[in-house]
Amino acid sequence: VTEDQHEELTLDRIQAAAGRLAGVAHRTPLLTSRTLDAIVGAPVLLKAEMFQRGGSFKFRGAYNRLSQLTAAERASGVVAYSSGNHGGAVALAAKLLGIRALVVSPATGSAAKLAAIEEYGAELHRYDPATQRREEVAAALAEAQGLTTIRPFDDYEVMAGQGTAGLELSAQAGQGGPELVLLPVGGGGLAAGVSTAVKALHPAADVIGVEPAGADDTRRSLRAGHRVTIEDPATIADGLRSQQPGLHTFPINAKLLADIVTVDEESIVAAMRFALTRLKIVVEPSGAVPLAALLSGAVRAAGRRTVVVLSGGNVDPVVLASLLQGRAVSDLYTETPSAR
Amino acid sequence: VTEDQHEELTLDRIQAAAGRLAGVAHRTPLLTSRTLDAIVGAPVLLKAEMFQRGGSFKFRGAYNRLSQLTAAERASGVVAYSSGNHGGAVALAAKLLGIRALVVSPATGSAAKLAAIEEYGAELHRYDPATQRREEVAAALAEAQGLTTIRPFDDYEVMAGQGTAGLELSAQAGQGGPELVLLPVGGGGLAAGVSTAVKALHPAADVIGVEPAGADDTRRSLRAGHRVTIEDPATIADGLRSQQPGLHTFPINAKLLADIVTVDEESIVAAMRFALTRLKIVVEPSGAVPLAALLSGAVRAAGRRTVVVLSGGNVDPVVLASLLQGRAVSDLYTETPSAR
């Protein structure tokens, strides 16, 4: 990653990404709920990225990155490593651009998410997570076949694309813009992109990242002042099981985030249930994490115009059914959905 | 009901209802899906009444009716008979207007829906559906306590309120308006209200009603030319288990609906699953019925700008979990959710 150390993430770059995404990505709505406002004691606006193409914000970054490949890179194709939304987003973006895509996925991955990747026309390359590291599998394939690796977050064009959600919510929040923005933090791409856009447009707004308590690598890293690795992130929020913040995302988030808070697993499930039963929307565990911070009281928003980024809605129907039935959270996240 | 036989449902009356609902009811969005458009071969616009206050279109009619009570009627209170969305809607409207509400519900009703009615502050009056008729229970209470009965559909002000969904979708469908509108038919209030608005504004549009095959009282009645009663309507679409069309709704629907089609139970469940997994929204069985007509091919919409009224999103989490797990439909609709 040495070659792009001089790069930086700017509002201009995010605006350029928005131009590439215009007419391709959805401008997702901000949803509101009187019930939620009453609970929180503030006007809450929910950025509904489950309505984004591919079902999550990931499409924004993947398409922005892929649309800038050279003709030679397009002709050779791309490789991504992901068992989830990034894989689906790269597959969809590649399909729209007529680029061959190969997605490296664990053999134990969610059957539903892997099926979505194949439905978008990407080739799946399975590996055994017990004996292989996905980065190495992808690197070997890239080397052998001349593919460009599309990293899930630690890439300025991916961050810029993801930051377009921040441009949109800033404009949609109405006069004065957002006063508080809550978003989930995994590798930190969404947080870096959105916080760059929001802080450039509304410097007084606070952007707060939320992590599952069992996958709080960014919170620990911010406290330590450098990137810390956690060995075994454990959470149902499968999109947030990062072991450490990104090399490029971390300094941006260290500078721009007002705070990182954590939520427990029960709060995440409660937020998903609230979304289903009261808001009538499907939010995946990772997407429910910032809503959990509001509902559990981990973040106090009283009186502040608050935007919550619901980052996606791709959840295995079997997992969704389990949590609706009130199964223990520990059963949910140790379960391998593909084994059903 | 003799006293209002001279009444009629007009565009003016629906527009007056819209004025009363302005700032109180939500103007629900029309959602779109590229996936759905591709399957249907037409631009499909989904009127998202699951986002309405109380979780269904019923609030529109209940509030319009209650807001026109006389001071004396307001002081005495209202009674409604319903185990579902109408009960919740009357409870919510009464709460907003400061009116006492009593809801007559079967002792075997959905625990989730009964809890919602109580949460809105209404008093529940349970009856035994095996030995009592709800209309008679409600009439006795109304007589004894001087309450005004709020009928679920066979009331011109309820129909007018429900018709505001038709005003909105006509305006939201864009230039030229809708060419085809699909909506669920239970007692026929939504169909009468929406078809009156749509046909007045866009006479060339076709409004098609959709019923579950096991609860097709309106289809049979239209064929017979008079109101037909079916003994035991059987469907998971609990909002559409009407035994016969309304006295006042039927002539309107007989005149304005282009057709009535039916869908089977498997199609309804498939439509709910499609909504959850692809659209990321929660649609209750009754609300999924018109979507089922499109997805199953019961209605051909190819090339026509089509609006589908997704009438509500109130579904017991236990039922939702069951259908996500692919349980047999027959198990679902014979089950009494409150027995869990």
Side-chain angles (χ1 to χ4, degrees), chain A residues 23-26 29 31-35 50-51 53-55 119-120 273 275-283 313-315 317-318 320-322 324-325, chain B residues 23-26 29 31-35 50-51 53-55 119-120 273 275-283 313-315 317-318 320-322 324-325:
Chain A
V24 181
H26 293 312
L31 307 177
T32 60
S33 157
R34 289 172 198 250
T35 306
M50 75 287 296
F51 296 156
R53 296 185 77 171
E119 198 180 319
Y120 289 132
R273 273 178 160 269
L276 276 168
T277 60
R278 305 303 295 257
L279 309 177
K280 316 301 182 190
I281 51 177
V282 179
V283 186
N314 295 324
V315 53
V318 174
L320 197 59
S322 296
L324 284 171
Q325 289 168 325
Chain B
V24 182
H26 293 311
L31 307 178
T32 61
S33 157
R34 289 173 198 251
T35 305
M50 75 286 297
F51 296 156
R53 296 186 77 170
E119 197 179 322
Y120 289 132
R273 274 179 160 267
L276 276 168
T277 60
R278 305 303 295 256
L279 308 177
K280 316 299 181 189
I281 51 176
V282 179
V283 186
N314 294 325
V315 53
V318 174
L320 197 59
S322 296
L324 284 171
Q325 289 167 323

Side-chain angles (χ1 to χ4, degrees), chain A residues 48-333:
Chain A
E49 284 292 294
M50 75 287 296
F51 296 156
Q52 188 50 265
R53 296 185 77 171
S56 89
F57 75 97
K58 289 283 190 182
F59 177 73
R60 298 173 182 271
Y63 188 89
N64 186 50
R65 178 72 169 85
L66 265 65
S67 66
Q68 295 177 78
L69 292 175
T70 65
E73 287 169 335
R74 284 189 185 222
S76 298
V78 299
V79 60
Y81 43 88
S82 165
S83 55
N85 288 334
H86 176 61
V90 168
L92 175 55
K95 179 186 172 191
L96 295 175
L97 293 164
I99 298 172
R100 176 187 174 219
L102 210 154
V103 177
V104 175
S105 295
T108 52
S110 154
K113 289 191 175 177
L114 297 183
I117 291 170
E118 286 194 305
E119 198 180 319
Y120 289 132
E123 301 159 44
L124 276 182
H125 184 97
R126 307 293 188 99
Y127 74 99
D128 176 5
T131 60
Q132 296 176 289
R133 289 191 62 239
R134 61 184 191 174
E135 293 84 347
E136 290 166 8
V137 175
L141 288 164
E143 173 72 21
Q145 302 185 30
L147 307 173
T148 301
T149 301
I150 309 298
R151 285 173 282 174
F153 51 83
D154 218 11
D155 176 307
Y156 288 99
E157 290 304 332
V158 170
M159 285 186 247
Q162 296 177 350
T164 61
L167 281 188
E168 289 175 13
L169 71 86
S170 293
Q172 293 167 307
Q175 209 169 13
E179 295 173 287
L180 177 63
V181 176
L182 302 180
L183 41 70
V185 179
L190 179 69
V194 168
S195 63
T196 297
V198 169
K199 295 295 284 186
L201 296 166
H202 301 286
D206 282 332
V207 182
I208 296 182
V210 188
E211 290 186 308
D216 63 342
D217 51 298
T218 295
R219 188 175 68 114
R220 290 180 192 224
S221 298
L222 287 176
R223 289 189 175 180
H226 58 87
R227 294 194 300 151
V228 166
T229 299
I230 57 177
E231 277 312 307
D232 192 20
T235 173
I236 54 166
D238 53 334
L240 308 181
R241 288 185 195 135
S242 52
Q243 289 186 277
Q244 64 169 18
L247 178 63
H248 303 313
T249 58
F250 181 65
I252 299 170
N253 289 326
K255 183 177 165 195
L256 297 181
L257 295 186
D259 198 4
I260 292 257
V261 301
T262 63
V263 293
D264 64 23
E265 299 293 293
E266 283 70 20
S267 299
I268 299 171
V269 173
M272 289 180 70
R273 273 178 160 269
F274 182 88
L276 276 168
T277 60
R278 305 303 295 257
L279 309 177
K280 316 301 182 190
I281 51 177
V282 179
V283 186
E284 64 184 89
S286 303
V289 158
L291 180 60
L294 262 194
L295 292 172
S296 69
V299 170
R300 295 192 181 280
R304 306 171 77 187
R305 191 163 48 256
T306 301
V307 180
V308 180
V309 182
L310 304 179
S311 57
N314 295 324
V315 53
D316 195 296
V318 174
V319 173
L320 197 59
S322 296
L323 74 89
L324 284 171
Q325 289 168 325
R327 283 182 56 198
V329 170
S330 57
D331 291 346
L332 285 176
Y333 73 80

